[in-house]
Amino acid sequence: MAAAAELTLLEKSLGLSKGNKYSAQGERQIPVLQTNNGPSLTGLTTIATHLVKQANKEYLLGSTAEEKAIVQQWLEYRVTRVDGQSTKEDLRTLLKDLNSYLEDKVYLTGHNFTLADILLYYGLHRFIVDLTVQEKEKYLNVSRWFCHIQHYPGIRQHLSSVVFIKNRLYTNSH
Amino acid sequence: MMHCPRPDRGRDGGRSSRTERLGSAVPPEVAGNPGTERLRSSPELQGAVPAIFGRRGEPGAVACALLLRCPQLPATADAMGFGDLKSPAGLQVLNDYLADKSYIEGYVPSQADVAVFEAVSGPPPADLCHALRWYNHIKSYEKEKASLPGIKKALGRYGPADVEDTTGSGATDSKDDDDIDLFGSDDEEESEEAKRLREERLAQYESKKAKKPALVAKSSILLDVKPWDDETDMVKLEECVRSIQADGLVWGSSKLVPVGYGIKKLQIQCVVEDDKVGTDMLEEQITAFEDYVQSMDVAAFNKI
């Protein structure tokens, strides 16, 4: 998904009505937002954080100091590991790490829904859509988290809904 | 543990059909179901009394409460639950159930989670990682427990479809929670009242069972299967679709409907038993024929 499209999706999910215009910079198409009476902002996570503050939903950035740090950690993860991957091997490692991380957490920060969940969902969508049934079962915690986020009101919008079947076909015990 | 696919639990369709079926104090339809086979062959059930789950406040519920004082009551095919949530086996069921779900019902915390949370006696052991994850998460909602959406129902209403709920309060008798109260009992002897009521209920059930034929929830689905282009061999495509076999799935008539540019889509009818086959399974299997099938849609879905 192009960065500009993703930021537009994020705006809608945050309830912001005005559509910003984003330009792209450089060969990796990093998004740039020109603010009205300030400097231009460059970078997906920077702009996303700015939008969250504009929408008055600072809780999405975490409430305690630790939670805020974790949110930032996962935003960084999104841009470096998820967007930066190139091979199938990268994807598998990523999903494996994520799967073990999410074993005891409902959301990325633990118990609360944050911007990290939103951006990681948008970032991973194009990969999860292509997973086979067996892979979805293998990364069960990622599937559970993904299914949960895609049902969160206002997040999925026009993105396709990924089907996770309820029957366990490949593994009968966990 | 294999769970039978159920029509969209947690979303509107599933919920309304579930309350429809269990709405009145009418005994659930078990005749001819695999569930009754289990009932008859199970050695520990003597004089098997079917559990009749009525809603709280209805006359059925009182009888239900008295009936459920007997341990090892067989559940019907419609009942749910996690087994005995105070035992390791019950927690294992809960763990498997929660492996791919964040909450007991739906995608937000609700009274369903509160009900099951209160039935569990403490944090599950660390090897049941999904149950433990869920437990800690619901614990974090401790203060907002009362304001979570939904209505707290009896434990038998939650969980995988083919497991009965046998949670008793055992030694710990908590009078705080109405749900636990239903099951908790230090009184081993059944009063005459309870016996009489039970006999009466049995007679009622028998007579109703004799009148009603076996009812299995079925649906008629009309599927649109679209090929890649007008060169695709539609006969082969239809063969592939019809080759999908499943228990509870019967293929019906089909026809080719032109959609323009010489492309025809295959419209095929099938009748499925709701408990056994779901549209997502059909979708997976049909779209697996990548050479012929571009996509599949449900054109119509009617309950029979």
Side-chain angles (χ1 to χ4, degrees):
Chain A
M1 197 184 341
E6 186 174 343
L7 286 167
T8 317
L9 264 180
L10 180 63
E11 278 180 6
K12 290 214 193 82
S13 66
L14 290 172
L16 290 171
S17 49
K18 57 172 203 166
N20 286 316
K21 265 210 138 318
Y22 301 100
S23 45
Q25 190 189 74
E27 60 165 63
R28 292 201 21 227
Q29 300 292 293
I30 303 178
V32 181
L33 170 64
Q34 184 64 54
T35 58
N36 285 334
N37 35 14
S40 66
L41 299 175
T42 313
L44 179 72
T45 56
T46 316
I47 300 179
T49 313
H50 176 73
L51 288 175
V52 166
K53 293 190 180 152
Q54 265 195 327
N56 277 321
K57 294 197 171 164
E58 295 242 20
Y59 58 85
L60 285 179
L61 295 173
S63 8
T64 64
E66 286 87 7
E67 224 187 13
K68 289 186 184 149
I70 297 193
V71 173
Q72 292 305 314
Q73 171 192 302
W74 285 101
L75 292 183
E76 196 178 310
Y77 187 91
R78 156 74 211 273
V79 178
T80 54
R81 300 278 310 274
V82 178
D83 291 348
Q85 69 180 276
S86 36
T87 65
K88 273 229 136 223
E89 198 50 55
D90 287 340
L91 179 64
R92 257 181 263 136
T93 322
L94 195 151
L95 287 175
K96 188 154 152 298
D97 290 340
L98 199 54
N99 196 51
S100 45
Y101 178 79
L102 285 172
E103 192 176 71
D104 61 343
K105 297 176 192 61
V106 176
Y107 298 107
L108 284 173
T109 50
H111 297 309
N112 297 310
F113 179 71
T114 59
L115 181 65
D117 297 286
I118 305 182
L119 285 190
L120 204 62
Y121 165 75
Y122 288 143
L124 283 175
H125 185 270
R126 61 187 167 117
F127 301 111
I128 305 282
V129 144
D130 288 331
L131 286 185
T132 65
V133 174
Q134 187 171 21
E135 284 171 324
K136 281 184 221 166
E137 242 183 72
K138 184 165 159 207
Y139 306 115
L140 193 59
N141 298 315
V142 179
S143 300
R144 165 182 48 83
W145 169 82
F146 195 88
C147 192
H148 184 119
I149 302 300
Q150 80 177 355
H151 281 95
Y152 205 90
I155 301 296
R156 182 171 75 83
Q157 297 177 48
H158 69 269
L159 293 175
S160 56
S161 177
V162 182
V163 172
F164 296 96
I165 49 179
K166 295 186 172 127
N167 272 8
R168 230 51 63 69
L169 297 179
Y170 294 93
T171 47
N172 273 342
S173 59
H174 304 280
Chain B
M1 175 180 295
M2 288 291 279
H3 306 306
C4 298
R6 297 221 117 212
D8 296 329
R9 207 161 357 109
R11 275 165 254 169
D12 283 333
R15 188 159 276 158
S16 58
S17 72
R18 186 152 49 101
T19 37
E20 248 178 82
R21 270 186 265 139
L22 298 172
S24 60
V26 171
E29 316 82 355
V30 280
N33 249 337
T36 27
E37 291 310 309
R38 267 206 313 246
L39 283 178
R40 289 195 210 109
S41 58
S42 182
E44 67 256 16
L45 305 168
Q46 294 133 358
V49 177
I52 300 167
F53 285 93
R55 286 242 214 97
R56 296 184 58 194
E58 283 183 59
V62 177
C64 169
L66 294 165
L67 289 175
L68 288 168
R69 283 180 165 210
C70 313
Q72 318 252 321
L73 257 169
T76 66
D78 274 342
M80 305 200 282
F82 298 99
D84 184 355
L85 273 171
K86 303 227 184 273
S87 75
L91 286 176
Q92 181 68 46
V93 176
L94 182 65
N95 192 57
D96 287 342
Y97 179 80
L98 288 171
D100 64 346
K101 297 172 195 65
S102 300
Y103 303 104
I104 298 290
E105 252 182 17
Y107 296 94
V108 288
S110 65
Q111 291 298 324
D113 298 279
V114 178
V116 181
F117 182 88
E118 286 169 353
V120 176
S121 37
D127 60 319
L128 299 179
C129 58
H130 304 288
L132 182 58
R133 168 194 28 93
W134 168 83
Y135 186 90
N136 288 332
H137 186 69
I138 301 301
K139 191 141 193 279
S140 73
Y141 287 93
E142 195 89 65
K143 302 196 200 81
E144 304 143 37
K145 241 197 257 190
S147 59
L148 292 177
I151 320 167
K152 224 196 272 187
K153 300 182 211 154
L155 284 176
R157 294 302 194 84
Y158 306 120
D162 47 0
V163 181
E164 64 201 70
D165 172 56
T166 54
T167 309
S169 70
T172 59
D173 207 338
S174 99
K175 296 285 179 195
D176 294 340
D177 193 351
D178 275 346
D179 281 335
I180 306 254
D181 233 6
L182 264 181
F183 300 105
S185 150
D186 301 310
D187 184 4
E188 291 297 315
E189 286 162 14
E190 255 190 297
S191 60
E192 280 306 310
E193 178 70 38
K195 270 207 192 105
R196 189 184 58 76
L197 249 150
R198 177 156 54 116
E199 296 306 311
E200 196 187 293
R201 281 273 147 186
L202 235 186
Q204 261 189 7
Y205 175 75
E206 292 290 306
S207 63
K208 284 212 171 124
K209 183 176 161 182
K211 288 184 212 150
K212 264 194 178 173
L215 266 178
V216 184
K218 283 197 184 152
S219 311
S220 157
I221 313 182
L222 186 65
L223 299 170
D224 269 6
V225 184
K226 303 186 188 73
W228 289 105
D229 56 19
D230 58 342
E231 311 266 304
T232 311
D233 186 349
M234 294 309 290
V235 177
K236 199 73 184 42
L237 191 149
E238 181 168 351
E239 248 181 64
C240 292
V241 172
R242 283 187 186 276
S243 74
I244 297 173
Q245 300 293 335
D247 182 22
L249 167 67
V250 177
W251 290 109
S253 64
S254 64
K255 67 178 191 217
L256 293 173
V257 177
V259 282
Y261 304 109
I263 305 177
K264 299 195 183 72
K265 67 179 177 182
L266 175 73
Q267 253 193 7
I268 185 165
Q269 192 95 350
C270 63
V271 174
V272 297
E273 280 175 46
D274 291 341
D275 289 350
K276 295 184 186 154
V277 179
T279 50
D280 34 36
M281 182 220 96
L282 281 174
E283 177 152 16
E284 291 258 359
Q285 296 207 342
I286 291 181
T287 49
F289 295 107
E290 283 170 358
D291 294 325
Y292 298 98
V293 177
Q294 187 233 86
S295 67
M296 183 209 96
D297 282 315
V298 175
F301 189 112
N302 302 307
K303 286 231 169 277
I304 301 179

